[in-house]
Amino acid sequence: MIQIVKHAPDLNFFEIEAFRTRVENLDAFSITHHDHSLSLGPADLLIYHHEEYRKISLEIAFGKTIPEEMKQIAQSTAFILLDHALGEYDFAIKIGCVNFLEIPKEATAVPLNEFVTVFDQLWQDKLRHTGIFPLSDKEDRWNVFEISDQNDPDNKRLVQRNETANVLVGDFNYCYALTITADVDSKENLSLVYELEDTINPALRFKKQGIHCQNTFYQGVRTMLWHVQDKQSAIALAQRLADQYKTLSVKIECEFDPGWSQYLSWVGK
């Protein structure tokens, strides 16, 4: 759908969106099930939120009494309300777990019609997903750590994560994960892999086409991850540059990953 919208022609008096956008007058929005005599509006959803794995997880209580036989319908309706309040893309990509509470907590909840503003502030100010592309690779800040295999503690995975790329997590414009894997069986090969990486970085950074997010080294294979704007052009560019290194065994893949699942694989809560 994203690609269809990107390549859609300009239409007079119409604007095409890939996903359902937010309801403009949320306070006046409600969903009524006439056959079940159930009506819910944004003010009826009480939201408790916390940051988890660099996304926002929710616990929801209802601000009105819901008969037991209608709870499942009410929960389904709550998801539809969230979809309209936050927008289809933001709800699908930026929200983590959603749990329903039997009764409200003692802590203060935020009704959904007020939570939209809180959500945007959390995403940008607290989680630092600003959507502002870093100006240069000099701004990049790399975090390096090891992960042990539970079945083989001596077999470790080395991870290098670019924390500066965090600003673009979940960004609609960078929803494709470009991965390049290379077999490393000697110091000479490793030097060539580094050289290839240093060649691809500025090429993708040019005109903000993509950002280098993460490297891993495991069992003799180095995997490099970028998040890019356009799948086909990124693959073509990476392949053209990789072809200059005939002695390397390189595999190039690009998949739709709007939630940045690879990048967020090993982040702490």
Side-chain angles (χ1 to χ4, degrees):
M1 181 60 73
I2 292 176
Q3 291 301 319
I4 292 173
V5 171
K6 280 185 177 180
H7 294 94
D10 292 332
L11 301 173
N12 290 332
F13 311 113
F14 293 95
E15 183 176 342
I16 301 175
E17 298 283 350
F19 301 94
R20 180 186 294 113
T21 56
R22 296 179 177 183
V23 173
E24 292 185 3
N25 187 7
L26 187 59
D27 288 329
F29 183 77
S30 65
I31 297 176
T32 300
H33 299 269
H34 295 288
D35 52 340
H36 294 287
S37 302
L38 174 68
S39 180
L40 288 176
D44 297 320
L45 266 60
L46 306 179
I47 308 293
Y48 304 88
H49 58 84
H50 62 278
E51 301 88 39
E52 187 173 39
Y53 302 111
R54 299 192 187 178
K55 292 190 176 184
I56 301 169
S57 291
L58 307 179
E59 291 181 307
I60 300 174
F62 292 104
K64 60 172 26 176
T65 301
I66 306 294
E68 187 65 33
E69 66 274 12
M70 292 187 181
K71 282 188 176 179
Q72 187 172 354
I73 296 171
Q75 291 177 3
S76 298
T77 304
F79 278 107
I80 298 172
L81 286 168
L82 282 163
D83 203 31
H84 283 77
L86 300 178
E88 187 178 12
Y89 185 86
D90 282 2
F91 179 43
I93 301 304
K94 300 177 181 180
I95 295 295
C97 296
V98 178
N99 293 311
F100 289 92
L101 303 173
E102 288 295 326
I103 57 173
K105 292 182 174 181
E106 292 184 1
T108 302
V110 180
L112 179 58
N113 53 327
E114 297 177 15
F115 176 69
V116 177
T117 301
V118 174
F119 168 80
D120 289 337
Q121 291 174 343
L122 284 171
W123 189 255
Q124 295 186 30
D125 300 338
K126 188 71 180 289
L127 296 175
R128 303 293 183 184
H129 305 318
T130 64
I132 301 173
F133 195 96
L135 296 177
S136 71
D137 57 4
K138 293 180 181 179
E139 296 184 23
D140 291 351
R141 180 172 57 87
W142 290 85
N143 184 18
V144 182
F145 53 94
E146 286 186 336
I147 297 175
S148 297
D149 188 330
Q150 292 182 349
N151 298 321
D152 185 4
D154 294 328
N155 198 357
K156 299 182 184 295
R157 185 190 305 268
L158 177 66
V159 180
Q160 300 170 309
R161 186 172 58 231
N162 183 4
E163 297 298 341
T164 302
N166 179 69
V167 297
L168 298 179
V169 164
D171 192 289
F172 179 84
N173 297 300
Y174 297 93
C175 54
Y176 291 97
L178 174 72
T179 56
I180 300 179
T181 55
D183 294 334
V184 178
D185 55 12
S186 66
K187 290 184 178 180
E188 291 75 15
N189 259 19
L190 183 58
S191 294
L192 290 176
V193 172
Y194 287 155
E195 188 176 316
L196 172 61
E197 180 184 321
D198 290 340
T199 303
I200 293 174
N201 272 338
L204 282 175
R205 203 108 178 193
F206 183 64
K207 293 185 178 180
K208 303 178 181 179
Q209 298 174 79
I211 189 167
H212 194 183
C213 299
Q214 187 170 270
N215 300 314
T216 61
F217 186 80
Y218 183 64
Q219 295 184 338
V221 176
R222 182 174 173 84
T223 302
M224 296 159 281
L225 170 69
W226 288 263
H227 262 267
V228 299
Q229 288 190 348
D230 184 76
K231 177 179 181 177
Q232 298 305 325
S233 61
I235 291 176
L237 183 149
Q239 188 65 65
R240 175 171 56 82
L241 296 178
D243 286 345
Q244 301 174 19
Y245 298 84
K246 304 295 185 182
T247 59
L248 288 180
S249 175
V250 173
K251 182 179 180 181
I252 300 172
E253 297 178 299
C254 194
E255 64 178 6
F256 186 60
D257 183 16
W260 288 50
S261 61
Q262 294 184 62
Y263 180 76
L264 299 178
S265 294
W266 300 292
V267 301
K269 287 189 178 184

